[in-house]
Amino acid sequence: MIGIVIPTYNERENLPLLVEKIFALKIPNVTLIIVDDNSPDGTGDIAEELAKKYGNIEVLHRKVFGRATAGLDGFKKALAKGAELIMEMDADLSHDPNDIPRFLEEIQTCDVVIGSRYGAGRIVYRSWFRNFLSDFANIYNRTLLGLKIRDVSGGFKCYRRKVLASLDLNRFISTGYTIGAETLYRISKKGFKIKEIPIIFRDRTYGASKCTFKVMLNYAYKIWQIRFF
Ligand SMILES: Nc1nc2c(ncn2[C@@H]2O[C@H](COP(=O)(O)OP(=O)(O)OP(=O)(O)O)[C@@H](O)[C@H]2O)c(=O)[nH]1
Ligand SMILES: [Mg+2]
C-alpha cells in the first residue's frame, strides 16, 4: 500500500482539486491520509465528504496545531496501516500530483526521493522576495545541518517504510516548517540512499500564506536547536 500524507490548514478550495487529480492518476493501492488541525474554514468537513465520495481516504482531525506533528501523526498512521511506501505533499497545489508517478518509479532504486526546487527544478510565480527567503533558508539549513541535499526545506517526498520506521517519531524538536529539514537531518545520519528529482513548485492560487515574519524567526532558531541539542 502507498500512503500519501497531506497536512491541511485552511485549504478548502485546494483539497478537492488535489484529491481529484491524485485519484485521476489511477495508481493502484493508494490511501490518502489527510491531517487537518481543526481548520476554521471547514477543510476537515470537506475532507470527510471527499472520503465518502472516493473511499481510500483516512482523515485525522486534530485538536492541536502545527505542521510538524501533523506530518508525524500522518506518518504514524501510514505505518500503522502497513504502508510500504509513504509520500508527503502540500495540499495547496504547489506540488503537482502528476509528479507522483516519477517519485514511485525513482523509489525503486533508493530509500528516499526528494522533490527538489533547485538544480533542474524551479519555483514559479512567487515574488522575488519570497524566492530570496526560500533560497536563504535553504542555504542556511544546508550549512548548519551539514546536508549535501540541494532542497532541504521542501515537503514533497517519498520514503520507504523502513526509513520512517527507523526514526523515533515522538522525539522531534520541530513544531512548524522545520520538520522537513529535521527529518532529512535524522535520515541522512542513518546512511539511507537519498535521491533528488527536479520538480516545479507553483505558488498557491487559493488560500492565505501562513509564513509570517514570526514564523521565519522561529524557523531560524529551531534549526540551531535541531543541530545542537
Ligand atoms: N495540519 C496542519 N497542516 C498545516 C499546518 N501549517 C501548514 N499546514 C499545511 O502544510 C502544507 C504546507 O504549508 P504552506 O502554508 O503551504 O507553506 P508554504 O508553502 O511554505 O507557504 P504558503 O504556500 O505561502 O502558505 C499545506 O498543505 C498547509 O495546509 C498546521 O499547523 N497543521
Ligand atoms: Mg504552500
Side-chain angles (χ1 to χ4, degrees):
M1 191 263 268
I2 302 164
I4 305 182
V5 175
I6 305 168
T8 57
Y9 192 75
N10 288 347
E11 304 286 4
R12 62 172 299 133
E13 297 95 345
N14 296 314
L15 190 63
L17 297 172
L18 177 76
V19 170
E20 189 188 335
K21 281 172 186 251
I22 295 176
F23 285 126
L25 296 167
K26 303 221 177 305
I27 302 166
N29 258 331
V30 166
T31 296
L32 306 188
I33 299 161
I34 297 169
V35 189
D36 186 70
D37 289 357
N38 203 14
S39 295
D41 77 346
T43 302
D45 296 336
I46 290 171
E48 288 296 345
E49 283 165 24
L50 292 166
K52 274 200 207 104
K53 181 173 170 191
Y54 292 95
N56 290 355
I57 298 181
E58 188 87 40
V59 188
L60 304 185
H61 298 277
R62 304 188 334 140
K63 293 277 173 283
V64 288
F65 175 85
R67 172 64 185 85
T69 52
L72 295 168
D73 284 351
F75 291 161
K76 285 181 204 166
K77 188 71 184 180
L79 290 171
K81 287 181 79 70
E84 280 305 322
L85 296 174
I86 297 131
M87 292 197 63
E88 60 171 327
M89 67 190 297
D90 292 353
D92 59 359
L93 300 168
S94 288
H95 298 149
D96 185 352
N98 291 318
D99 288 333
I100 293 173
R102 271 198 302 137
F103 280 78
L104 298 176
E105 200 181 305
E106 296 289 347
I107 196 78
Q108 298 308 320
T109 52
C110 64
D111 301 315
V112 182
V113 181
I114 300 171
S116 178
R117 299 165 292 176
Y118 300 101
R122 268 184 309 136
I123 304 180
V124 288
Y125 308 137
R126 264 196 172 176
S127 71
W128 71 267
F129 185 64
R130 211 38 226 287
N131 273 345
F132 165 78
L133 286 176
S134 289
D135 294 354
F136 180 82
N138 202 49
I139 293 167
Y140 182 90
N141 292 346
R142 284 171 55 191
T143 313
L144 266 174
L145 301 178
L147 295 170
K148 301 264 182 305
I149 299 156
R150 272 192 158 135
D151 190 345
V152 291
S153 37
F156 201 2
K157 302 191 195 98
C158 182
Y159 310 89
R160 278 188 183 280
R161 176 186 183 84
K162 66 175 179 189
V163 175
L164 295 182
S166 77
L167 302 174
D168 185 346
L169 300 174
N170 293 317
R171 297 202 51 180
F172 273 60
I173 288 171
S174 298
T175 50
Y177 292 108
T178 52
I179 186 67
E182 183 172 7
T183 307
L184 290 181
Y185 179 63
R186 293 181 186 274
I187 286 171
S188 61
K189 285 206 286 195
K190 291 177 183 270
F192 288 113
K193 190 172 174 204
I194 302 174
K195 201 188 264 184
E196 281 189 90
I197 61 169
I199 57 158
I200 295 175
F201 179 99
R202 288 191 170 73
D203 206 0
R204 61 163 72 243
T205 308
Y206 303 108
S209 176
K210 276 139 259 164
C211 202
T212 58
F213 186 63
K214 196 174 146 208
V215 167
M216 288 176 210
L217 279 184
N218 182 263
Y219 190 108
Y221 165 69
K222 279 283 173 192
I223 295 291
W224 279 86
Q225 259 196 325
I226 291 165
R227 175 68 179 79
F228 296 107
F229 296 101

